[in-house]
């Protein structure tokens, strides 16, 4: 792992964005794996800046998002489809057909997961952006006795729903299920960027990067990947002895 502890949020955002935009600059048909939540917002803002300032086109690129809530229409303001449009897609020239998210309204979640996994196999991700949950989840792969390798539907743990309640009117409005890429799907990306900020993540950062590899901390499986770039702010990295 290449672990970098950075002095500012802006620096973290800029470096992460440069990896993602740089992949498209070097190879216009690059496949990007994207994430949602609060951490990527600044990263996407920097991507938009670089797109405009350097006239980098996304017309030939493809994106795959990690996950989507089950039961939210893509037009729902808290769906991840809406999030991606709000923070990135409306500002760049990525064709709509090239932007892939799981369909949380699919009549058969099982078939939707299989189809998403087929698309990932056809267009392997070059560089995957990840955040880190307080319980060590990546995507919506929650801690447990076992982890699913492929894209699958998952029941969200209470701590995850509580953490996401800030985006909804109340916790009761947070969906109880989601579709997520599996850990195996994530690990197939050629390069992974793990971006984490905040003192509340310091313990789980240490556990994920230097603790035992265990399904009780899904992010610990990143230790098995050959090319992981970890970008931390000072608070998130304060318990690491680097």
């Amino acid at each position: 792992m290449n672990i970098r502890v950075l002095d500012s949020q802006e620096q973290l955002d800029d470096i992460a964005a440069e990896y993602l935009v740089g992949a498209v600059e070097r190879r216009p048909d690059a496949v990007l794996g994207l994430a949602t939540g609060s951490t990527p917002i600044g990263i996407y803002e920097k991507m938009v800046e670089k797109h405009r300032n350097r006239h980098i086109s996304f017309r030939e690129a493809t994106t795959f998002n990690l996950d989507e809530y089950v039961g939210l229409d893509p037009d729902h303001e808290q769906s991840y489809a809406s999030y991606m449009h709000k923070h990135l897609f409306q500002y760049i020239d990525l064709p709509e057909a090239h932007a892939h998210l799981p369909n949380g309204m699919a009549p058969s979640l099982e078939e939707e997961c299989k189809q998403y996994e087929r698309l990932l196999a056809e267009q392997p991700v070059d560089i995957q952006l990840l955040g880190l949950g307080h319980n060590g989840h990546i995507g919506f792969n929650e801690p447990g006795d076992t982890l699913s390798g492929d894209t699958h539907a998952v029941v969200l743990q209470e701590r995850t729903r509580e953490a996401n309640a800030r985006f909804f009117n109340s916790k009761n409005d947070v969906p109880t299920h989601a579709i997520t890429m599996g850990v195996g799907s994530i690990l197939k990306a050629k390069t992974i960027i793990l971006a984490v900020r905040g003192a509340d993540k310091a313990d789980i950062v240490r556990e994920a990067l230097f603790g035992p590899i265990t399904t009780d901390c899904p992010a610990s499986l990143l230790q098995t990947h050959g090319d992981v770039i970890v970008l931390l702010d000072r608070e998130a990295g304060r318990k690491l002895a680097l």
Side-chain angles (χ1 to χ4, degrees):
M1 287 188 177
N2 176 5
I3 302 172
R4 301 182 64 178
V5 180
L6 304 162
D7 290 326
S8 70
Q9 176 177 324
E10 183 175 7
Q11 190 179 16
L12 187 157
D13 293 339
D14 188 68
I15 292 171
E18 185 59 37
Y19 277 113
L20 293 161
V21 172
V24 176
E25 194 169 32
R26 290 188 300 274
R27 207 190 87 204
D29 63 347
V31 180
L32 308 181
L34 303 179
T36 52
S38 56
T39 298
I41 292 174
I43 296 171
Y44 295 147
E45 289 175 355
K46 291 290 185 181
M47 287 180 68
V48 173
E49 284 182 19
K50 295 173 189 295
H51 160 68
R52 290 173 174 167
N53 294 340
R54 284 157 41 190
H55 306 289
I56 299 167
S57 175
F58 288 80
R59 284 193 297 270
E60 296 179 46
T62 299
T63 65
F64 284 94
N65 264 75
L66 284 168
D67 41 37
E68 178 61 282
Y69 288 118
V70 169
L72 293 191
D73 187 274
D75 292 331
H76 189 286
E77 63 178 359
Q78 293 304 337
S79 75
Y80 288 149
S82 289
Y83 170 105
M84 292 306 305
H85 177 76
K86 177 180 178 181
H87 295 294
L88 182 63
F89 292 159
Q90 68 172 318
Y91 302 113
I92 63 176
D93 59 345
L94 179 77
E96 185 176 349
H98 291 197
H100 301 290
L101 292 96
N103 178 10
M105 297 294 289
S108 169
L109 296 183
E110 182 178 357
E111 286 304 312
E112 175 63 17
C113 293
K114 289 179 180 178
Q115 173 62 14
Y116 206 69
E117 196 64 29
R118 282 194 291 268
L119 289 173
L120 286 167
E122 291 168 3
Q123 301 179 83
V125 173
D126 292 301
I127 185 165
Q128 174 69 58
L129 177 64
L130 295 178
L132 178 64
H134 289 92
N135 61 2
H137 75 235
I138 49 176
F140 272 134
N141 293 282
E142 303 280 23
D145 293 335
T146 60
L147 291 173
S148 295
D150 294 342
T151 302
H152 62 287
V154 62
V155 178
L156 301 181
Q157 291 188 358
E158 287 306 297
R159 186 170 185 186
T160 297
R161 294 183 67 235
E162 288 167 3
N164 289 356
R166 66 190 188 278
F167 302 116
F168 293 81
N169 292 328
S170 73
K171 179 186 167 185
N172 291 334
D173 294 329
V174 181
T176 57
H177 294 69
I179 295 175
T180 183
M181 284 189 202
V183 173
S185 310
I186 292 169
L187 292 176
K188 288 175 184 174
K190 296 171 188 173
T191 299
I192 294 174
I193 300 172
L194 179 67
V196 193
R197 61 169 59 100
D200 58 329
K201 299 285 182 72
D203 286 327
I204 196 64
V205 163
R206 182 177 59 186
E207 183 179 346
L209 302 186
F210 296 104
I213 298 173
T214 170
T215 58
D216 290 330
C217 179
S220 68
L221 275 80
L222 295 175
Q223 296 177 42
T224 68
H225 193 278
D227 188 8
V228 179
I229 300 155
V230 182
L231 303 177
L232 309 171
D233 68 4
R234 286 285 172 197
E235 291 300 307
R238 65 192 178 95
K239 294 193 175 182
L240 301 184
L242 298 177

